[in-house]
Amino acid sequence: MSPGSGVVVVGAGQAAVQLAESLREAGFTGPVTLVGEEPRPPYQRPPLSKEYLAGKVTPEDLVLRGEWFYADRGVELLVGRRAVHLDRAGRRLTLDDGAVLSYGHLVLATGARPRPLPIPGADLDGVGNLHTLGDAQELRERMESARDVVVIGAGFIGLEFAAACGARGVSPVVLDVAGQVMGRAVSAPVAAHFAERHQRNGTRLLLGRTPVELTGRGGKVGAMRLADGESLPADMVVTGIGVLPNVELAEAAGLETADGIVVDQYLRTADPAVSAIGDCAAFPDPRGVGRIRLESVQNAADQARCLAAALTGTARPYTTLPWFWSYQGDLRLQIAGLSTGHDHTVVRGEPDEGFSVFCFREGSLVAVESVNRAPDHMAARRLLTAGIRVTPDDLSDPGFSLRTQLTRAAAAPARHQPRNRGTPSGTGAA
Amino acid sequence: MPKVTFVQPDGVETVLDLPAGSTVMRGAVAAGVRGVVAECGGNLMCATCHVYTVDGAGDVFAAMTDDEDELLDCTAAPRRDTSRLSCQLGLTEGMDELVVHVPGAQT
Ligand SMILES: Cc1cc2nc3c(=O)[nH]c(=O)nc-3n(C[C@H](O)[C@H](O)[C@H](O)COP(=O)(O)OP(=O)(O)OC[C@H]3O[C@@H](n4cnc5c(N)ncnc54)[C@H](O)[C@@H]3O)c2cc1C
Ligand code: FES
């Protein structure tokens, strides 16, 4: 970083706020500026599709950090301003009001935006998506009077929205072109369990069905037509069909993009003065091959921590274990690791009390998905982080417990401990 | 209005007047108190809102649930008898002066 110049962050979301916090914690004293196009100070997105829609929290409850945070740490927060041009040679960022900010290091934390629905009628009144607090406010208002709610996309956001509808006495229809809910993000046993619960709670789930058109009268949506000819009444349609990373600024500045802004394991682009973190960053998968992009609070926050360390002189590669949660009605899903490409699963626990699905790829444990079983999740995170070996054979032992495995590994960190059939599962948790 | 004092590991204190109905975690986050990360926003998913209450505070706050108990086994800083997750510490009208200690690490 050139002396006397500061860090400018484009995007004032989860990643940006954590970066500012971690920079100051690490003793960085230069100027830190966050630029965000949304009209309000940074807030949390996860509750938008959960507690906020269910009417359990107010916008004030969603703030990521209060005003004092920025003032106290000397972080300049510019909201309602969009970065429109990046001049890398001159190290200058231009905002939509013409202001120009010089930087020593520029961080792209631009996040992602909802994928537009590629069918006719997507622009009708009553069709919306759920990404910002503004979107959630609009949906919450519409829910008051909606009769026929249709959700396109049975991913995390679509299903969370469906559960929130249920909490408000509205039974939605949820449709997806895929044959299982939550796409390939979860294993088949978890998908099946969630599908069954949503249906039991009154959601009509249409899997393997394709919407082809939304129709309406007077500019307002009234129905959804499917490829097989069926037509469903719909006076409110919410789409949750994935997101597209916000890469335009980087692309126009000549930086490489490929489903995200391409960065190395230190989260740097090819320009040593520009990094990218959070939902917009495509980084090398430390546990696999190729590049991945993750959409989670954990990834945004941990990448911010990693980058702050690098910018203050202690660069380390980004290797943090991914973890994720979703909350749908009374189902709490927590995922440790990435289950992509798993070829074997072992289920432990009972559907009604909580269970965990252990996902293996070529004999190695790659992810653990826990439903209403927080202790498994926390133990799994530690096991996977430490690279402690767990085999399908271990799991077939009724006495096996993740915690015992952890304790045993801690006692002898260098060796893989042989399974001990005599060990009782201390907590009875796994 | 409950008055909550947050004590940092180095002894620095922040005193906040917080509204009843809120939680210790929300108050800390809104004020930007160092050391309360609260990554999951109060959903009992992350254990990054860990605090130490003072001895005897167990009677002031609602008892901990099994979920909280289990998450507390996984905090970044060591668990103590006084450990709680601050998102589960609801503030009520009757509370007067409360003190919580922020641990040195949350992640
Ligand atoms: C409804 C919903 C529910 C979710 N639930 C969960 C969950 O349960 N668990 C979980 O782990 N994750 C969840 N997520 C995902 C999580 O919120 C994101 O992964 C996280 O917010 C990513 O942080 P970020 O900083 O990369 O991007 P964001 O927080 O999206 O911030 C990026 C910001 O940059 C702004 N921006 C973009 N371009 C510009 C520009 N040129 N100039 C200025 N500003 C710009 C954007 O407007 C945006 O405000 C959810 C997301 C949504 C939308
Ligand atoms: S904020 Fe995540 S457990 Fe309290």
Side-chain angles (χ1 to χ4, degrees):
Chain A
M1 219 176 305
S2 69
S5 46
V7 175
V8 171
V9 188
V10 186
Q14 193 87 42
V17 170
Q18 186 60 54
L19 182 77
E21 180 160 21
S22 298
L23 279 173
R24 289 295 185 234
E25 257 170 37
F28 181 76
T29 52
V32 176
T33 311
L34 313 185
V35 183
E37 66 189 342
E38 289 189 66
R40 48 177 62 87
Y43 58 92
Q44 310 168 51
R45 292 189 200 285
L48 294 179
S49 49
K50 309 174 184 78
E51 300 94 315
Y52 182 77
L53 281 181
K56 289 185 198 153
V57 296
T58 63
E60 292 71 51
D61 295 328
L62 300 180
V63 293
L64 260 172
R65 295 288 178 256
E67 275 171 49
W68 299 357
F69 169 87
Y70 305 97
D72 186 41
R73 289 163 178 78
V75 172
E76 190 170 7
L77 176 63
L78 304 176
V79 294
R81 313 267 283 277
R82 187 176 166 74
V84 291
H85 181 71
L86 170 56
D87 164 16
R88 292 201 284 122
R91 293 201 182 176
R92 278 186 301 253
L93 180 76
T94 308
L95 309 189
D96 54 0
D97 60 357
V100 177
L101 308 176
S102 319
Y103 61 83
H105 197 89
L106 184 87
V107 180
L108 296 163
T110 49
R113 61 175 178 278
R115 185 191 299 276
L117 183 66
I119 61 173
D123 53 353
L124 286 168
D125 185 32
V127 183
N129 51 47
L130 178 47
H131 191 72
T132 65
L133 177 54
D135 296 336
Q137 282 168 327
E138 209 179 300
L139 294 182
R140 202 160 121 171
E141 241 165 66
R142 275 191 195 278
M143 268 164 86
E144 304 287 339
S145 57
R147 288 216 328 256
D148 298 303
V149 178
V150 170
V151 181
I152 302 181
F156 290 112
I157 291 183
L159 290 180
E160 288 170 1
F161 176 76
C165 282
R168 299 200 133 204
V170 180
S171 300
V173 174
V174 179
L175 164 139
D176 205 302
V177 291
Q180 92 164 35
V181 301
M182 296 182 280
R184 279 167 301 168
V186 300
S187 65
V190 165
H193 183 74
F194 274 68
E196 192 256 328
R197 286 307 172 93
H198 277 279
Q199 282 170 312
R200 204 195 287 178
N201 291 337
T203 293
R204 193 174 158 211
L205 207 50
L206 302 177
L207 296 178
R209 306 282 294 274
T210 310
V212 288
E213 186 179 18
L214 295 167
T215 56
R217 217 176 267 161
K220 216 185 154 318
V221 71
M224 177 178 64
R225 199 161 57 78
L226 304 179
D228 52 21
E230 191 180 339
S231 179
L232 298 173
D235 58 6
M236 175 173 175
V237 176
V238 179
T239 66
I241 53 169
V243 297
L244 302 172
N246 292 322
V247 300
E248 290 71 12
L249 197 63
E251 213 166 51
L255 293 167
E256 191 189 346
T257 62
D259 181 40
I261 302 165
V262 171
V263 293
D264 65 11
Q265 57 183 341
Y266 297 97
L267 310 169
R268 291 175 307 210
T269 67
D271 179 339
V274 182
S275 305
I277 53 175
D279 280 14
C280 69
F283 63 99
D285 181 357
R287 285 165 200 82
V289 281
R291 240 164 251 293
I292 49 172
R293 199 173 59 72
L294 297 176
E295 296 150 19
S296 71
V297 167
Q298 170 275 319
N299 179 65
D302 284 331
Q303 288 196 335
R305 292 184 185 108
C306 182
L307 180 61
L311 294 178
T312 50
T314 41
R316 53 179 156 93
Y318 181 70
T319 55
T320 316
L321 182 83
W323 67 268
F324 182 80
W325 81 89
S326 173
Y327 205 147
Q328 298 168 29
D330 53 9
L331 293 177
R332 299 151 65 89
L333 171 66
Q334 290 165 285
I335 304 175
L338 289 182
S339 67
T340 329
H342 69 272
D343 48 31
H344 182 69
T345 58
V346 178
V347 182
R348 288 181 62 100
E350 294 303 324
D352 286 327
E353 283 147 30
F355 63 97
S356 290
V357 180
F358 294 76
C359 302
F360 291 88
R361 187 173 59 220
E362 289 165 9
S364 297
L365 183 67
V366 289
V368 179
E369 303 165 341
S370 304
V371 179
N372 294 352
R373 228 150 102 133
D376 274 11
H377 171 71
M378 298 306 281
R381 263 162 67 182
R382 291 207 277 168
L383 273 173
L384 288 166
T385 297
I388 297 166
R389 200 170 150 73
V390 177
T391 65
D393 201 29
D394 289 331
L395 297 174
S396 65
D397 179 351
F400 172 84
S401 137
L402 280 172
R403 287 212 208 174
T404 328
Q405 189 87 354
L406 260 178
T407 328
R408 258 191 263 155
R415 276 181 307 141
H416 171 221
Q417 287 293 286
R419 183 159 43 101
N420 176 1
R421 289 197 179 266
T423 307
S425 84
T427 59
Chain B
M1 219 181 225
K3 195 185 275 295
V4 184
T5 303
F6 294 87
V7 186
Q8 296 293 335
D10 62 4
V12 173
E13 297 188 356
T14 311
V15 186
L16 302 174
D17 284 315
L18 299 178
S22 189
T23 64
V24 172
M25 178 280 276
R26 273 203 213 294
V29 163
V33 172
R34 268 167 236 271
V36 180
V37 174
E39 213 140 270
C40 78
N43 262 320
L44 273 182
M45 300 277 183
C46 71
T48 65
C49 63
H50 178 204
V51 296
Y52 302 118
T53 56
V54 293
D55 281 329
D59 313 334
V60 178
F61 295 110
M64 74 169 77
T65 58
D66 290 348
D67 273 353
E68 182 183 344
D69 189 15
E70 281 157 349
L71 274 184
L72 277 169
D73 282 343
C74 310
T75 52
R79 177 174 185 169
R80 297 184 199 149
D81 289 346
T82 55
S83 286
R84 292 295 305 260
L85 293 179
S86 57
C87 65
Q88 304 305 305
L89 301 180
L91 298 167
T92 58
E93 226 30 277
M95 293 177 178
D96 189 12
E97 306 239 329
L98 301 169
V99 178
V100 297
H101 292 256
V102 179
Q106 295 285 11
T107 52

